[in-house]
Each structure stands twice: as C-alpha cells, then as structure tokens.
Amino acid sequence: MDKQSKIYIAGHNGMVGSALVRNLESKGYYNLIFRSLNELDLTRQKEVEIFFEQEKPEYVILAAAKVGGIYANNTFPAEFIYDNLMIEANVIHSAYKNKVKKLLFLGSSCIYPKMSPQPIKEEYLLTGSLESTNEAYAMAKITGIELCKFYRKQYEVDFISAMPTNLYGINDNFNLETSHVLPALIRKFHEAKINGEKEVVMWGTGNPMREFLYVDDLADACIYLLENYSKESHINIGTGVDIRIGDLSKIVKNVIGYEGEIVNDLTKPDGTPRKLLDVSALHSVGWKHTIELEEGIKTVYDWFLSSKWM
Ligand code: GFB
C-alpha cells in the first residue's frame, strides 16, 4: 500500500471504522473513501455494485457489520445473520469484480466452537458447536471467512480475514440493551455514582472469562496485516490475556470511583464460558498490542464523560 492508495473503509462511522480512519491518517494515508449508511446501504447489491464501479477502490477494509452485545445477538438473530451476510457477499463480490488489490475482512472470536480448547488457535474453526447466544452472528462471520478463502482459491485475489477478540474503545455503543459488557458497566457505574444508588446490577454469574482489546490497537493490527500478511488462513487479533467478568466489574468500579455494591442478575445469560485467542500467529508476523486494560478503560471513561451519551 502506498500513501496515495485509494482505500475504502466500509463502516467508517462505527467504533472500529473510525479507529481505522484515525490510524490510516496518522500513518499518512490520505486517499481514504467512505460512505455513510444513508449514502450507501451495503445490504443492497445494486447500490454496492454502482459504488465500486464508480469509485474503483484499490484496497478495502470491511468493518461494516451489524454488531451488539449478548442480549442484542440473542434477541435479534435474524437481523444479525441477514444484514451481515448481505454486507459481506455484496462487498466481497464487488471487490473481486472491480479488481481490488487487497481486502481485509473483519470477523469475531465468537466464530469458534463454544467449548474450544483454550487459548483458541485459528485451526479450531468448525470443529464443534457454536455458542447459542451469538450463533446467527457467528454463522455470518464464518461465511465471510469462507467467501475470502474461496475467492482467493478460485480467482487468486488477495483477500484476507482477521478475527478480533472482544473490542472496546471510544465511539462504542453505550445503549444498555444492545451494548457489550464494558460500555454497559461504565455507564451503569457512572450513573449509579451520580445518582447515589446503593447497587449496580451485573448480568449473569460474573464467571465467564473475556479477553479485551482496545480499538486503536485493533486498528493498528489491521493496517499492519494489510501491509504484512497475505495468507489464506484467517488470523486472530487479541492480547492473549483474559479476565473474569466479575473482576472486570471491580476494575471499572474503581476507575469510576463508585462505592456501592455489585449484584448479579441471574436471569441474564452468561454466554460462552471462555474465548481466549491464541495470538502466536499474530506475534510471529510481528505485531503485539500496546494498550493495557485499565489504561484503556480510563481513556474510554474520559471520552464517555463528554460524549453524546451524557
Ligand atoms: O460483551 P457481551 O455482551 O458479549 O457480554 P459476549 C460478555 C459477558 O458480560 C456476558 C456479561 O457473560 C454477560 O452476561 N455482562 C455482565 C454483561 N453485565 C453485563 C451488562 O450489563 N451488559 C452486557 N452486554 N453484558 C458477544 C457476542 O458475546 O461478543 C457477539 O454476542 C460478539 O456476537 C461479541 O462476538 C464480541 O462476549 O458474550
């Protein structure tokens, strides 16, 4: 990739897409193109075809997706599978038709079997049953990997896939019904502190383990892979370290300075017990994360205090 390469970031308004734009700009890439949802609906095949024929991007990062936390995934599975399948199929096919030099598809660590051995190696894909709370999303993301693999095989295109672990960062979704755990806890502890509430409710038992990567690290890894990785196999992106949700809630509580109690809502699902990624392939390519969890949470909390969510 040259600094003048024409790079299309699909999903540039989201938490991941906006971090990709920041990272590319900081590295001097200036020929970036994007479209907001009301300009281009990626689930509409014709719109995507016209966009690619007119713009002819040289590189594509597919960070557009319907995403959400455990409750949203479990409650709206039809939307999660349909929207994601359509986006992936339309963008990947148009990228092939319009001779895109390289495409990076972003998936998720939930593609792996629920009971995978830990840490999870790339080759564990499709070796067991999926976690039921996010099966629809996982099926769509697995299909995205397979699309890249088969277009690579049949058409010899340089389409690669990366599987990030659980992400967090600025521009995250803090809606308590649809968000992931970290923004939810930040918002809950903050509001409880401000309102002098005696307790904060955490979903599930607090026993599941999760691995968290700050979104600016993820963006840096993506650009690094575009510049340095061209293999058929998808590659994991994570820190290689995980934490109990119960312990995570104590860190967030301390960062925010809330002094009340934490109680568990056992009517809410735990989801998969553990999904720690094996990041040895990523390390051997030459990339490692730099932002540790507590530091990242402090940055997000500062951002949250002056965001639209306040
Ligand atoms: O982040 P999260 O929603 O998604 O939940 P997953 C992680 C864990 O935190 C679960 C618990 O065990 C939740 O029960 N948790 C505790 C909470 N309190 C809360 C809360 O207030 N809100 C939320 N949201 N969780 C998602 C998948 O799974 O991970 C997606 O559904 C995607 O498909 C994403 O893969 C990365 O880690 O369980």
Side-chain angles (χ1 to χ4, degrees):
M1 272 195 321
D2 300 321
K3 299 302 177 203
Q4 73 270 19
S5 297
K6 192 169 189 179
I7 307 170
Y8 169 47
I9 300 100
H12 75 289
N13 277 325
M15 177 178 76
V16 171
S18 57
L20 286 163
V21 172
R22 282 197 299 281
N23 191 281
L24 284 161
E25 286 177 345
S26 76
K27 292 192 165 101
Y29 292 98
Y30 59 86
N31 196 2
L32 310 180
I33 53 170
F34 12 80
R35 292 289 184 279
S36 57
L37 182 57
N38 57 10
E39 295 169 315
L40 171 62
D41 181 347
L42 294 173
T43 66
R44 313 294 295 185
Q45 186 180 39
K46 195 78 211 158
E47 288 187 32
V48 178
E49 286 174 354
I50 292 168
F51 168 74
F52 271 82
E53 277 157 22
Q54 284 176 349
E55 287 292 340
K56 299 276 181 203
E58 296 172 80
Y59 294 86
V60 172
I61 309 178
L62 183 36
K66 179 164 184 66
V67 296
I70 192 166
Y71 179 79
N73 268 268
N74 206 15
T75 313
F76 310 111
E79 290 172 33
F80 274 79
I81 195 164
Y82 176 81
D83 288 359
N84 287 306
L85 283 177
M86 297 306 282
I87 292 169
E88 293 158 14
N90 290 338
V91 172
I92 291 170
H93 188 67
S94 276
Y96 150 65
K97 283 292 223 188
N98 291 279
K99 301 188 168 40
V100 163
K101 289 182 187 160
K102 190 161 187 172
L103 175 144
L104 170 63
F105 168 70
L106 285 173
S108 161
S109 59
C110 69
I111 59 161
Y112 292 110
K114 174 172 184 166
M115 291 307 177
S116 279
Q118 308 285 321
I120 309 173
K121 294 183 190 295
E122 284 83 356
E123 60 260 34
Y124 297 167
L125 180 64
L126 294 173
T127 56
S129 304
L130 297 166
E131 153 62 28
S132 64
T133 54
N134 55 38
E135 192 175 352
Y137 179 72
M139 287 302 295
K141 288 295 181 184
I142 292 169
T143 304
I145 299 174
E146 300 292 294
L147 278 166
C148 290
K149 184 174 91 183
F150 290 124
Y151 275 64
R152 168 182 284 272
K153 187 175 175 194
Q154 186 176 341
Y155 303 127
E156 297 181 352
V157 288
D158 193 1
F159 291 0
I160 60 171
S161 301
M163 298 304 118
T165 191
N166 285 42
L167 302 171
Y168 70 104
I170 64 169
N171 295 324
D172 208 341
N173 168 23
F174 288 77
N175 176 310
L176 293 179
E177 286 206 338
T178 55
S179 76
H180 289 99
V181 62
L182 245 172
L185 291 179
I186 289 174
R187 181 169 179 173
K188 285 179 181 178
F189 283 120
H190 174 76
E191 289 179 353
K193 181 175 105 172
I194 298 302
N195 300 329
E197 288 160 16
K198 288 199 173 62
E199 55 184 41
V200 160
V201 177
M202 189 182 74
W203 295 356
T205 61
N207 289 326
M209 307 278 295
R210 293 290 184 272
E211 175 188 8
F212 294 95
L213 180 70
Y214 192 76
V215 73
D216 283 284
D217 267 343
L218 181 267
D220 196 64
C222 288
I223 308 312
Y224 188 86
L225 291 173
L226 271 175
E227 291 166 338
N228 296 286
Y229 184 83
S230 281
K231 289 190 184 158
E232 179 191 298
S233 170
H234 60 281
I235 182 164
N236 292 337
I237 306 182
T239 63
V241 180
D242 61 356
I243 181 170
R244 263 186 83 246
I245 293 296
D247 295 332
L248 174 78
S249 67
K250 289 178 194 148
I251 296 180
V252 179
K253 181 182 169 192
N254 285 341
V255 165
I256 290 172
Y258 171 68
E259 287 176 353
E261 298 298 313
I262 301 172
V263 295
N264 295 75
D265 176 357
L266 299 178
T267 67
K268 294 288 194 304
D270 269 350
T272 200
R274 197 175 183 200
K275 47 179 172 179
L276 175 64
L277 293 179
D278 184 317
V279 285
S280 47
L282 183 66
H283 288 179
S284 67
V285 178
W287 189 90
K288 193 173 183 304
H289 77 284
T290 58
I291 302 163
E292 297 302 337
L293 184 57
E294 190 162 342
E295 175 194 354
I297 293 172
K298 284 179 183 155
T299 307
V300 178
Y301 184 47
D302 284 346
W303 176 86
F304 172 75
L305 290 175
S306 53
S307 73
K308 66 174 183 182
W309 299 99
M310 293 300 296

